[in-house]
Amino acid sequence: MAEGENEVRWDGLCSRDSATRDTALENIKQAILRKAEPLRSVKEPPYRSSEHLLNAVSWDGFNKILARLLMLSKRCPFKDVREKSQSILKCVQELGIRIPRPLGHGPSRFIPEKEILQVGNEDAQMHTLFADSFAALGRLDNITLVMVFHPQYLESFLKTQHYLLQMDGPLPLHYRHYIGIMAAARHQCSYLVNLHVNDFLHVGGDPKWLNGLENAPQKLQNLGELNKVLAHRPWLITKEHIEQLLKAEEHSWSLAELVHAVVLLTHYHSLASFTFGCGISPEIHCDGGHTFRPPSVSNYCICDITNGNHSMEEMHVAGSVSITDSFCEVEALMEKMKQLQECRDEEEASQEEMASRFEIEKRESMFVFSSDDEEVAPARDVSRHFEDTSYGYKDFSRHGMHVPTFRVQDYCWEDHGYSLVNRLYPDVGQLIDEKFHIAYNLTYNTMAMHKDVDTSMLRRAIWNYIHCMFGIRYDDYDYGEINQLLDRSFKVYIKTVVCTPEKATKRMYDSFWRQFKHSEKVHVNLLLIEARMQAELLYALRAITRYMT
């Protein structure tokens, strides 16, 4: 939205200074009341004919302002902004103008709102984190409010994302947000696309680019192939992909720009996995997050219908499992962990046996798929941001195709990827490395109702299973442990969220680890997105290294 003389200006609300916020709020109130006055006598047009077009545009702009106020009244970490935003909405309502209300029930469709930290109830440490996020982005988004189950990780995540999007780097700001749009669109993640469309326009991006990838500069269009392969079949990336981008004459990328782009692509592919895996709801101020209609008798949330989460059976699936069954599930898992540890202590499998178990697990992962696995046709507003809409995930060993195993001792993040990223895009390698380590090592030594539990074996099994699905092998890991620790419903969830996140449903989320806390399931998602990001980075960075040598 342009910020001309008569437009509403929001930037002052991000200030840590209450007097600055107060002045900004008063200016916002006066600007909104000025806009509201002429609209009082104009009936909002039910449809858009040419004679109603001017009115429709006025109402559209005004309704967007009201939706943003609604978001601030619910999601701003500053109490004065929340209260004053509510007060301004009330003034507008008293003028006889409809005001919006939130749709849905909280930041996630999978996690009850009462179990998520409410804005305004956070402690001092959390408040600082929320205020930092709000100051940087002008919002406190639903991803942040779900990740806050794990503050240590969230702090690292926000720091990394802020650096990638807003600090000095090889790529201009509008390119960064456009690459975020391209990456999220590959997984049909309209949630992330909508956020970054707004951010792209805010930093001065050309609105024409948003009409479709063919309207963006040729340099960005050239990135489409790498985006496609990286998102769906990263094991196919070769040094030729890299060469095509670096030697495209006047449209060529520099190595530093390309590393920045690769990190952004992998970040947003993975974040799309988190968005779908945790059932993130649309932001209050975005499409699908609010409505101007009065409440109906039914509290049915439209976002559930559009995401395949609408059957009554699905809504009650968690409740249909007895506490005893779930308790037994946890006990059985802990017993398996204990037995595996004892076997490890007694004997170690040979290298040949370990290699054989990896191949078995890799083949088995191909046959893990969901019973409601079906093609999801991308919506036009998302698919215009990428080419070749039919290209999607395919298992790497399908149709007799053999992809060589990626052996971590030949090329790993710690010894190779990290230093390459840090050399070409300073400090980013360090930030990503910290994020990987926090997600992988994060533990509260609990499992469901049990305390003082060493969960390292379970975390490693999840991480290595994801890398196994991408053809990446650790020589020192016994892949036989994966089948012992991860049951079929859990594997279905993992593979769906990592490989085809747009197909994740509440049924899948509810069907694994039924007695575990939501915070533990969110932790699983942190492992999934970081393991996925690392796998994509390994393939892309190895290809860059091969090109350089």
Side-chain angles (χ1 to χ4, degrees):
M1 183 166 47
E3 292 190 338
E5 198 178 343
N6 299 318
E7 289 293 343
V8 178
R9 296 189 65 95
W10 308 94
D11 34 359
L13 301 184
C14 297
S15 172
R16 304 301 180 98
D17 176 53
S18 59
T20 304
R21 293 198 302 271
D22 200 47
T23 303
L25 284 162
E26 189 51 42
N27 290 339
I28 287 168
K29 180 179 180 181
Q30 295 310 321
I32 286 174
L33 293 179
R34 278 197 303 275
K35 284 175 169 294
E37 198 56 44
L39 294 174
R40 290 175 70 182
S41 55
V42 180
K43 185 166 175 60
E44 188 170 350
Y47 59 91
R48 293 188 184 188
S49 64
S50 54
E51 68 222 59
H52 283 127
L53 197 57
L54 195 59
N55 285 344
V57 170
S58 298
W59 276 108
D60 271 1
F62 190 64
N63 284 345
K64 281 177 182 167
I65 291 168
L66 295 184
R68 185 146 183 183
L69 264 183
L70 176 68
M71 178 272 288
L72 291 167
S73 75
K74 304 285 184 188
R75 294 281 193 266
C76 183
F78 303 118
K79 187 179 179 187
D80 55 338
V81 176
R82 291 198 303 273
E83 290 177 348
K84 191 69 180 273
S85 298
Q86 267 180 322
S87 164
I88 298 170
L89 282 170
K90 197 172 176 190
C91 290
V92 171
Q93 191 175 32
E94 285 166 358
L95 293 173
I97 293 173
R98 287 187 309 177
I99 61 169
R101 62 184 177 84
L103 261 179
H105 304 282
S108 164
R109 297 185 308 280
F110 297 175
I111 305 170
E113 189 173 13
K114 65 179 186 298
E115 298 200 28
I116 294 175
L117 179 65
Q118 303 295 301
V119 178
N121 294 344
E122 69 273 15
D123 60 23
Q125 183 194 358
M126 274 299 105
H127 180 74
T128 303
L129 209 50
F130 281 174
D132 287 345
S133 179
F134 189 81
L137 298 168
R139 61 176 181 265
L140 197 57
D141 59 41
N142 289 337
I143 285 176
T144 299
L145 291 173
V146 172
M147 279 186 183
V148 86
F149 277 117
H150 305 286
Q152 186 192 3
Y153 175 85
L154 175 61
E155 188 170 3
S156 176
F157 172 84
L158 290 174
K159 199 163 51 171
T160 306
Q161 184 167 262
H162 178 66
Y163 196 93
L164 289 174
L165 292 176
Q166 292 170 294
M167 301 296 280
D168 287 345
L171 292 173
L173 298 183
H174 62 302
Y175 265 53
R176 303 180 197 194
H177 290 293
Y178 197 81
I179 290 168
I181 293 167
M182 288 173 66
R186 278 275 22 144
H187 283 307
Q188 303 158 41
C189 187
S190 53
Y191 171 87
L192 288 173
V193 169
N194 288 339
L195 285 186
H196 285 280
V197 161
N198 290 334
D199 292 339
F200 172 77
L201 294 171
H202 184 71
V203 297
D206 184 346
K208 289 196 206 74
W209 297 11
L210 301 174
N211 293 331
L213 184 59
E214 67 278 6
N215 297 291
Q218 188 62 46
K219 183 171 175 174
L220 283 166
Q221 290 184 45
N222 292 348
L223 195 64
E225 180 71 14
L226 185 67
N227 179 29
K228 175 178 89 171
V229 180
L230 203 50
H232 305 300
R233 307 172 203 173
W235 47 87
L236 298 181
I237 289 173
T238 64
K239 69 177 183 180
E240 282 72 32
H241 286 104
I242 306 305
E243 190 170 25
Q244 283 164 10
L245 290 164
L246 297 175
K247 294 189 171 176
E249 295 173 355
E250 73 267 31
H251 306 299
S252 63
W253 292 73
S254 72
L255 265 172
E257 288 174 331
L258 184 57
V259 166
H260 193 170
V262 162
V263 173
L264 283 167
L265 290 172
T266 58
H267 177 80
Y268 282 104
H269 294 156
S270 303
L271 202 51
S273 284
F274 185 86
T275 301
F276 287 113
C278 290
I280 300 293
S281 303
E283 293 299 325
I284 288 173
H285 63 297
C286 291
D287 287 347
H290 63 273
T291 180
F292 284 84
R293 293 195 182 98
S296 62
V297 178
S298 161
N299 284 326
Y300 217 133
C301 171
I302 194 72
C303 52
D304 284 337
I305 299 171
T306 57
N307 282 278
N309 299 323
H310 49 281
S311 75
M312 293 306 289
E313 175 195 353
E314 210 165 276
M315 291 166 72
H316 296 294
V317 71
S320 66
V321 180
S322 77
I323 298 294
T324 313
D325 285 350
S326 297
F327 184 79
C328 291
E329 187 181 54
V330 180
E331 296 293 316
L333 181 53
M334 289 186 65
E335 184 56 36
K336 280 177 188 168
M337 286 164 63
K338 186 179 165 195
Q339 287 169 3
L340 285 170
Q341 188 57 55
E342 287 167 358
C343 290
R344 267 189 198 172
D345 296 341
E346 284 170 18
E347 60 174 322
E348 196 172 306
S350 67
Q351 280 299 311
E352 292 75 16
E353 180 61 25
M354 300 268 259
S356 168
R357 288 174 187 175
F358 170 78
E359 291 301 327
I360 290 167
E361 190 55 53
K362 191 170 78 166
R363 277 199 305 276
E364 281 190 5
S365 76
M366 288 171 50
F367 301 106
V368 172
F369 56 88
S370 147
S371 55
D372 43 3
D373 197 6
E374 58 185 54
E375 289 303 314
V376 182
R380 163 68 190 147
D381 63 331
V382 172
S383 66
R384 64 172 174 238
H385 300 298
F386 64 92
E387 296 163 331
D388 196 357
T389 56
S390 62
Y391 190 95
Y393 174 78
K394 287 279 185 291
D395 289 304
F396 48 81
S397 297
R398 282 259 171 97
H399 311 304
M401 185 178 172
H402 179 68
V403 176
T405 293
F406 187 124
R407 299 175 74 222
V408 169
Q409 79 266 31
D410 297 335
Y411 195 97
C412 68
W413 166 256
E414 289 79 8
D415 297 336
H416 307 94
Y418 168 83
S419 56
L420 178 62
V421 172
N422 243 21
R423 189 163 82 245
L424 293 168
Y425 186 8
D427 298 331
V428 166
Q430 179 69 43
L431 289 166
I432 295 170
D433 188 60
E434 179 187 279
K435 191 160 59 77
F436 286 157
H437 277 283
I438 289 173
Y440 188 87
N441 296 312
L442 187 65
T443 183
Y444 306 94
N445 299 112
T446 59
M447 268 179 66
M449 67 293 290
H450 297 279
K451 294 181 177 165
D452 302 318
V453 183
D454 179 359
T455 61
S456 55
M457 182 184 286
L458 190 54
R459 282 180 276 122
R460 191 177 183 193
I462 294 167
W463 188 280
N464 287 4
Y465 179 59
I466 293 157
H467 280 197
C468 177
M469 289 191 302
F470 283 87
I472 298 170
R473 182 188 164 211
Y474 295 82
D475 277 4
D476 63 345
Y477 183 68
D478 180 357
Y479 287 84
E481 292 186 4
I482 289 173
N483 271 342
Q484 297 288 314
L485 297 174
L486 313 183
D487 66 20
R488 180 170 173 73
S489 61
F490 193 13
K491 282 184 170 183
V492 166
Y493 178 78
I494 291 173
K495 186 171 182 180
T496 305
V497 170
V498 170
C499 302
T500 52
E502 59 278 9
K503 296 179 183 177
T505 63
K506 187 173 187 298
R507 183 199 301 273
M508 292 178 196
Y509 177 89
D510 286 338
S511 66
F512 83 91
W513 283 13
R514 291 163 295 185
Q515 198 58 27
F516 283 70
K517 301 183 188 82
H518 288 291
S519 60
E520 291 170 309
K521 292 192 172 193
V522 172
H523 184 188
V524 165
N525 273 277
L526 300 184
L527 285 167
L528 304 193
I529 66 172
E530 294 303 337
R532 175 186 179 170
M533 182 174 179
Q534 190 177 96
E536 284 190 29
L537 277 175
L538 283 173
Y539 279 109
L541 296 174
R542 184 179 68 170
I544 291 172
T545 302
R546 285 177 173 173
Y547 167 80
M548 291 167 69
T549 52

